[in-house]
Amino acid sequence: GPIISTPGLQTDALVHVVDLFPTIAALARVEPETILDDAGAPVQLDGVSLIPVLADPTASVRETVYVERFMDNGAPPARLLDNRMIRDARYKYMESFNGDFFFFEYDPSRPWTEGEDLIPTGLTPEQQRAREHLEALMEAKVATMEAEWD
């Protein structure tokens, strides 16, 4: 399409499936604030438009991706959290519902493979800082979501 600067290129941009809806809305020239719920209030979108990446494959639209997986996907308080994960371009931090923690480093030559959990073998100072940073971002995200539920 006309916004694709160089067809056929690949990108290393960090994206999420929730980015598809805002991207399609932007391509259709639908302003996000005009998308309303059943009560007429603007819908809060978790995604961001990928148009900057389509126009420039070196662009970035997000620094992290946050995901949760539930055993029971009922309404709160019936939800039983199974796992939650946050990742950036290099590292992934995951918490399990039973209190286990996992930390992975992506190999740039194989970004689709996370490898082995690094916590059992010990983290380098750089990895420890990255783990703490991602954990803090996750805690802030969870606190924001819990505040919205109340």
Side-chain angles (χ1 to χ4, degrees):
I3 65 169
I4 306 296
S5 61
T6 310
L9 292 181
Q10 294 184 5
T11 180
D12 291 328
L14 195 58
V15 300
H16 192 288
V17 68
V18 297
D19 299 332
L20 293 177
F21 183 79
T23 303
I24 294 167
L27 290 170
R29 296 192 171 108
V30 173
E31 297 296 327
E33 61 273 5
T34 66
I35 303 170
L36 308 178
D37 65 14
D38 292 340
V43 172
Q44 180 180 347
L45 300 177
D46 292 329
V48 295
S49 172
L50 299 176
I51 288 178
V53 176
L54 296 174
D56 176 8
T58 65
S60 176
V61 292
R62 57 172 64 244
E63 296 297 316
T64 61
V65 170
Y66 175 83
V67 178
E68 293 180 347
R69 181 176 150 235
F70 297 97
M71 292 168 50
D72 173 13
N73 201 13
R79 290 182 166 177
L80 301 174
L81 182 64
D82 188 14
N83 294 311
R84 62 175 61 143
M85 177 280 299
I86 190 165
R87 72 158 288 183
D88 60 19
R90 185 169 177 189
Y91 297 104
K92 173 180 170 181
Y93 175 73
M94 189 169 77
E95 294 180 359
S96 177
F97 74 98
N98 63 5
D100 291 334
F101 303 94
F102 306 91
F103 186 73
F104 306 93
E105 183 172 3
Y106 288 91
D107 178 347
S109 67
R110 299 175 55 201
W112 57 89
T113 305
E114 62 194 24
E116 298 294 319
D117 178 18
L118 299 175
I119 292 177
T121 58
L123 304 179
T124 67
E126 178 186 2
Q127 290 169 336
Q128 182 63 28
R129 284 189 298 276
R131 188 202 65 77
E132 290 170 358
H133 176 69
L134 288 175
E135 183 179 14
L137 290 175
M138 179 185 286
E139 288 174 2
K141 177 71 173 171
V142 170
T144 300
M145 290 186 309
E146 288 175 349
E148 291 171 357
W149 290 340
D150 291 336

